[in-house]
Amino acid sequence: MTGPTNLESRARHIRQTWAKRCNKVLYMSSVKTDFPTVDLNVSEGRDNLFWKTIRAFQYIHQHHLDDADWFLKADDDTYVVIENLHYTLSKYDPEQPLYLGRRFTPFISKGYMSGGAGYVLSKEALRRFIKGFNTGECTHFSSIEDMALGKCMETMKVEPADSRDVNGRQTFHPYPPDYYLVRQAPRPRPWYLLYDHYTPIEGPGCCSDLAVSFHYIYATQLYVLEYLTYHLRPYGYKYRFNPDEKD
Amino acid sequence: MLSDGGSFMKGMVMGGLFCLVLSFLSSFSPSTEFMTEDHHHHHVKAASKEELNHLSDSHTQELLDQVRVSCIIMVQPSVLVYWAAALDTWAKHCDKAVFYTSESSKALEAIDLNEKDDWARLRKALKHAYDNAGDLRWFFVARPTTFAIIENLKYLVLTKDPSEPFYLGNAMKSGELEYVALASGIVLSYEALKRLVNVFEDEGKCPERGRALWKLSEDKQLAVCLKYTGVFAENGEDMHGKGLFNSKTVHSLISDSMKANPTNVVEGCCSDMAVTFNGMSPSQMQVLMFGVYRLRPYGHDFHDLMTFYPPEDVFLCRL
């Protein structure tokens, strides 16, 4: 999800880094350009965020439903490791009504997925989301995009699935890695972990080796994460975490 | 006729003596290039895949057994958090890591050299490391603000013989002097360290308090002393010629690359096999440990030809 003012400063770097690894990528905006961007016929701004999301999914449902099994919504300040997303999704069936992301607890009884960390809808979940708005079961009752989407998912009986790895470590992250990884003395939950559904862990146990996303990642940091994920490595090192066996 | 021949002979003898004296003098000059030295070049590159493929299994195993690193980290109590960060992060991957301090601190273990002068302290630390080397043959000298990936250091020196003098890192030039910057890490082979410890005895060539006229930083002093023993600074590079010892943080290097190579930022930046970065904060070091040793895309296999197992302790510690 992007906008005209962010194409040069943000979307361009995403296009040069992780977006290349999507099977298909669409840049959602309010203006059509040769970037290329899609014109959703919605104004920019935080108040219109949910409208933009609704229109984006409607556009995809209309034009691209058969192009994919899973549909990821990410912001233009999110970094995503597509291979790890594939891996996380591999144990789920896209014909089942479910969606994945960083699960938050409040406001919605089944919780909802953090918008900033990015979330993925299965094909069936997307169909139900569209149906909900067609029948009026889902409405634009709030402009808080992630929470409102969560309400619609709950109404349409789409299940929030667990995106954590085999060791219970989080894969979707609504903040940059330094918020989580730095060792802390035991303390009450800091503000940015208050909404977490699964009990958050601070320090190295916070995050899966096969992390899927980080948020509030701008230009330089995008390339830094790209370098760390795909390039810089210790020669001849045996990774301690083997995802295909439980610890 | 006889007198002509006589003066000709005199001339020859004078000329011959003159040449002899000149060559005698020049061989004592410290700035003479030792052309007979095996590797008097300025770059040391990591072995290529082809070279490694040609090694026999037993030879590979020999090299792996030999390439163990002793880390010498110069600390001060004023940088306590960095000291703790190094201890908790990259220093665990050294086969041996010793912290040398200028004054004791109750908080962390280090060898107190009781020496305020930076150069004198470094000398003592190096001598101590040499005297306690055991069977370790490679020495890595750093500050706690340095971040090192020891496996990549091992990869760089894997096929190099430590009984040859090697003095590697981020090679810089100050006037005529080529030296390795301490902040981005200095690598010394056993032979280089041995020659250094020997020249420490020579107050003329390698004074303990440095020359009073101009105060050189300790890394430059080191270069001067090593030069006397015929050991020269060399730039550590990967097989593509990219420097492996970085004087800046990852963020800073990437930022530079965004300006220099806007369409090819990551490839145009730092090496995949980088050994050091400098100036990272303790929090950044913790994030970098995750970025280097854990974060990766599922399914990628680098097909490395050998494994560098970290020292036993690392497996005992929780992540």
Side-chain angles (χ1 to χ4, degrees), chain B residues 278-319:
Chain B
N278 179 48
M280 320 265 320
S281 72
S283 304
Q284 287 174 327
M285 287 196 192
Q286 291 184 63
V287 175
L288 195 53
M289 285 301 283
F290 174 76
V292 173
Y293 289 98
R294 294 174 56 201
L295 180 63
R296 63 196 182 276
Y298 179 79
H300 278 219
D301 189 344
F302 293 103
H303 302 292
D304 290 339
L305 293 164
M306 57 204 70
T307 303
F308 293 125
Y309 288 100
E312 287 301 305
D313 290 346
V314 181
F315 284 108
L316 295 173
C317 292
R318 280 191 314 124
L319 269 173

Side-chain angles (χ1 to χ4, degrees), chain B residues 39 67 144 223 294:
Chain B
H39 50 271
V67 72
R294 294 174 56 201

